[in-house]
Amino acid sequence: HVQLVESGGGSVPAGGSLTLSCAVSGFTSSTYCMGWFRQAPGKEREGVAAIDSDGRTMHTDSVKGRFIISRDNAKNTLYLQMNKLYPEDTAMYYCAAHVFPCPEITVMKEGTYRYWGQGTQVTVS
């Protein structure tokens, strides 16, 4: 049974930092493409970052230099370190798993990912 459980969300002032975690069970996350997405009220879900089975990472332009995706293979956990947060980063953040290597073109597309967590709220004021 595949399960993704996010944690670490909260409310922070602009300029602050948060680190989100996604605990994975039911498969070995290091063998697959894993991603972070976010959805703000009234907006579509957008890809934030992804990490491939070989450790290669990708970040959407709006978070480059501020967010870092990583994972701890021993803990089967995915992370999103978020620095220099802006109010426009406010959203529900989701982790997701694609049970193949990251597809180059659609890696930031919601439809690429099969498994999803329930989300964790990040609010920046």
Side-chain angles (χ1 to χ4, degrees):
H1 175 65
V2 175
Q3 192 171 17
L4 308 177
V5 180
E6 302 95 335
S7 61
S11 296
V12 295
S17 299
L18 279 175
T19 298
L20 306 183
S21 300
C22 174
V24 179
S25 59
F27 69 96
T28 301
S29 64
S30 61
T31 61
Y32 298 131
C33 178
M34 299 290 298
W36 284 101
F37 286 74
R38 66 185 179 186
Q39 187 168 19
K43 294 188 176 181
E44 293 186 354
R45 192 171 297 188
E46 65 169 344
V48 175
I51 184 167
D52 211 343
S53 56
D54 61 0
R56 182 171 56 99
T57 62
M58 294 138 277
H59 298 80
T60 196
D61 287 345
S62 63
V63 307
K64 282 180 180 176
R66 301 189 298 124
F67 292 10
I68 301 173
I69 188 172
S70 64
R71 63 178 161 213
D72 185 327
N73 293 336
K75 295 182 179 179
N76 213 23
T77 300
L78 181 73
Y79 300 99
L80 185 67
Q81 181 181 341
M82 306 186 295
N83 303 312
K84 299 178 182 178
L85 284 160
Y86 303 144
E88 50 263 42
D89 295 315
T90 295
M92 185 72 78
Y93 283 72
Y94 301 88
C95 68
H98 171 59
V99 293
F100 294 102
C102 287
E104 186 170 345
I105 296 175
T106 61
V107 64
M108 294 295 187
K109 298 296 184 181
E110 179 180 1
T112 296
Y113 295 81
R114 179 175 181 179
Y115 299 105
W116 292 84
Q118 82 289 349
T120 186
Q121 177 68 37
V122 172
T123 302
V124 186
S125 59

